């Protein structure tokens, strides 16, 4: 069983489904509204646990009903919350999601997630150093991601950086990470428009660019390789990237070869979009293996 430590955001997703996405100044009628646990860190933690890993989450929630619900959801999915501490007098993070026309638009309010500080991370070093793989994203402060990268490098713990949401990433973090998984938009921000192929060659078997329905592109040391995705009828794409990253981390931590790890992650991500909710469609290990 892989031991995965996830460091990142937890939130409550407020999800509206509509047949039409509103433009600026426009009001449209929605079809449904739901609240479901989310946040990129929480999504990846739940996905990894469902795929059979032993998962510890490091994050913060608010001292509110959403925070209590987020903690209960972690527990229900067998994710350790020893390092998920409520922040007094602060609301939990929220994500406001519109599902329309086969895709999603999201506004994130970080709130308590901004309290995942370097000092807070220092209280959880034991969980980081005990992990087979650390998985981190960018819905927490930039200095925290940098701090975690140094801890992982110092202790020889592989770090998988999912650089989402998009923002420039310091060279130090890129060097300290074992694996980096931007999508095309994030890769362009990190390395510059038109320089992605150059970046792939500079980071063989380290930089993996997710290209949606086209698959995943990386450089294996000799040539660019594309591992194709699986074609399915999408119901809700929210959380597909988080499922991919969690599955990729689990497979790598178990010692699977890179190409096989990507196929495993692509299959998990494809299954995740066939049901509603970021976490609602995340598959179990058995479901992924039976569909491969």
């Amino acid at each position: 069983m892989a031991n995965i430590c996830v460091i990142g955001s937890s939130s409550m997703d407020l999800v509206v489904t509509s047949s039409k996405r509103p433009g600026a100044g426009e009001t449209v009628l929605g079809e449904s509204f739901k609240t479901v646990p989310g946040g990129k860190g929480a999504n990846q933690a739940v996905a990894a646990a469902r795929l059979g890993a032993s998962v510890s989450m490091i994050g913060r929630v608010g001292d509110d009903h959403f925070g209590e619900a987020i903690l209960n959801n972690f527990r229900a999915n067998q994710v350790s919350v020893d390092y998920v501490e409520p922040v007094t007098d602060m609301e939990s993070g929220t994500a406001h999601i519109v599902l329309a026309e086969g895709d999603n638009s999201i506004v994130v309010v970080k709130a308590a997630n901004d309290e995942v500080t370097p000092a807070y991370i220092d209280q959880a070093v034991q969980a980081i150093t005990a992990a087979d793989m650390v998985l981190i994203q960018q819905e927490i402060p930039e200095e925290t991601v940098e701090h975690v990268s140094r801890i992982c490098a110092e202790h020889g713990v592989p770090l998988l950086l999912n650089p989402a949401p998009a923002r420039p990433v310091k060279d130090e973090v890129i060097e300290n990470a074992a694996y980096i998984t931007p999508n095309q938009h994030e890769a362009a921000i990190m390395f510059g428009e038109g320089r992605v192929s150059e970046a792939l060659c500079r980071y063989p078997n380290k930089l993996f660019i997710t290209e949606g329905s086209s698959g995943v592109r990386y450089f294996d040391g000799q040539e660019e390789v594309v591992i194709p995705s699986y074609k399915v009828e999408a119901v809700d794409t929210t959380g597909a990237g988080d499922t991919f990253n969690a599955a990729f981390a689990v497979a790598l931590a178990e010692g699977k070869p890179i190409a096989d790890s990507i196929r495993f992650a692509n299959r998990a991500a494809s299954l995740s979009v066939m049901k509603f909710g970021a976490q609602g469609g995340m598959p179990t290990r058995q479901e992924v293996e039976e569909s491969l």
Side-chain angles (χ1 to χ4, degrees), residues 70-124:
I70 291 165
L71 289 171
N72 288 337
N73 183 65
F74 278 136
R75 297 185 185 106
N77 283 281
Q78 286 76 55
V79 173
S80 170
V81 293
D82 290 347
Y83 299 102
V84 184
E85 183 179 322
V87 183
T88 305
D89 300 324
M90 180 174 284
E91 69 274 12
S92 296
T94 52
H96 305 256
I97 302 170
V98 176
L99 300 178
E101 300 164 349
D103 211 337
N104 60 61
S105 301
I106 307 175
V107 176
V108 172
V109 180
K110 293 193 292 181
N113 293 302
D114 268 339
E115 296 302 310
V116 185
T117 61
Y120 184 72
I121 293 298
D122 286 340
Q123 302 174 37

Side-chain angles (χ1 to χ4, degrees), residues 228-250:
S229 61
Y230 293 83
K231 309 303 180 187
V232 296
E233 190 71 30
V235 173
D236 180 3
T237 59
T238 310
D242 295 329
T243 303
F244 171 88
N245 279 279
F248 192 37
V250 170

Side-chain angles (χ1 to χ4, degrees), residues 11-81:
S11 70
M12 189 60 71
D13 290 355
L14 313 177
V15 187
V16 171
T17 302
S18 176
S19 61
K20 184 177 184 296
R21 193 180 313 280
E26 181 182 12
T27 299
V28 300
L29 292 176
E31 297 169 354
S32 67
F33 171 75
K34 295 180 181 178
T35 58
V36 291
K40 298 193 73 63
N43 290 345
Q44 293 178 17
V46 168
R50 289 188 186 171
L51 292 168
S54 174
V55 182
S56 295
M57 179 71 192
I58 301 175
R60 307 298 297 269
V61 294
D63 185 18
D64 55 16
H65 291 304
F66 284 163
E68 184 178 349
I70 291 165
L71 289 171
N72 288 337
N73 183 65
F74 278 136
R75 297 185 185 106
N77 283 281
Q78 286 76 55
V79 173
S80 170
V81 293

